[in-house]
Amino acid sequence: MLSKSLQNGFNDQIQKEFYSSYLYLAMAAHFESQNLSGFASWMQKQADEERSHGMRLWQHVYDRDGKVELKAIEQPPAEFGNPLEVLQKVLEHERKVTASVNALYALAEKEGDVAAQIWLQWFVNEQVEEEKIVVGLIEKLKMAAGQAFGALFMDQHVLGQRK
Ligand SMILES: [Fe+2]
Ligand SMILES: [Fe+2]
């Protein structure tokens, strides 16, 4: 069974994953309004993934005879700036999520909860992957610095191609 403090930690993390989903959906809406459909579709897929992360945490809470309590999700911003600025905000956000995953892992470790640590390892790896992908996109966008053609190219040929 999951301890009360770990259960709270999982519930907090579920809230963060759902907020991430909502934030990326807001970014998708922002890109749709600018006719950047490739960026918008990338963000929608990102939002779907974040929802699945929330459900993956939910799964572990119930596997361990715990209880999920859904917390309020705050309103995300509506304006995010140009594509480079948006991706920089994504990176900043993912780094915060990484810190909270790491803190949850440290709590599981402190409590000697081996099963929770193993479950959370997936999230530790996922955060490494997510930060790496976003850093790569930011570097490419910087190469296209200030050139509208570069952003349009990335919209169609990089972000728009995400499976
Ligand atoms: Fe996530
Ligand atoms: Fe994420």
Side-chain angles (χ1 to χ4, degrees):
M1 192 177 177
L2 216 48
S3 73
K4 270 277 170 276
S5 55
L6 265 176
Q7 178 173 295
N8 282 339
F10 268 72
N11 280 324
D12 283 344
Q13 191 62 36
I14 287 171
Q15 190 259 1
K16 290 191 174 85
E17 301 294 342
F18 278 97
Y19 176 73
S20 300
S21 182
Y22 215 35
L23 174 66
Y24 296 145
L25 209 49
M27 289 175 175
H30 166 82
F31 284 130
E32 289 288 7
S33 72
Q34 297 184 330
N35 284 312
L36 287 170
S37 59
F39 279 97
S41 106
W42 190 92
M43 284 298 170
Q44 274 199 36
K45 284 169 188 142
Q46 188 73 8
D48 289 347
E49 263 192 34
E50 298 300 353
R51 186 182 184 281
S52 77
H53 296 169
M55 296 312 291
R56 189 182 274 261
L57 293 158
W58 165 303
Q59 179 67 44
H60 191 66
V61 173
Y62 283 114
D63 285 348
R64 304 287 305 285
D65 198 24
K67 188 172 188 316
V68 168
E69 271 167 32
L70 294 178
K71 296 168 195 268
I73 301 173
E74 66 177 287
Q75 181 176 355
E79 292 305 323
F80 298 97
N82 66 37
L84 179 58
E85 287 166 336
V86 180
L87 286 173
Q88 278 164 337
K89 281 171 186 154
V90 172
L91 182 58
E92 200 180 300
H93 179 70
E94 286 300 331
R95 283 179 174 155
K96 279 191 211 145
V97 173
T98 299
S100 88
V101 165
N102 291 349
L104 186 55
Y105 185 95
L107 179 63
E109 201 173 29
K110 191 178 133 215
E111 292 191 2
D113 189 326
V114 179
Q117 285 171 69
I118 291 171
W119 196 263
L120 290 170
Q121 243 159 41
W122 184 91
F123 287 87
V124 173
N125 291 330
E126 175 68 12
Q127 286 309 117
V128 170
E129 193 59 25
E130 288 215 19
E131 286 191 29
K132 178 181 139 187
I133 288 168
V134 179
V135 165
L137 291 173
I138 287 173
E139 278 167 9
K140 287 196 183 73
L141 260 178
K142 278 184 177 162
M143 284 176 208
Q147 297 173 43
F149 176 78
L152 286 173
F153 180 86
M154 282 197 62
D155 181 61
Q156 292 308 308
H157 298 284
V158 182
L159 290 99
Q161 302 301 316
R162 178 173 176 175
K163 294 287 175 283

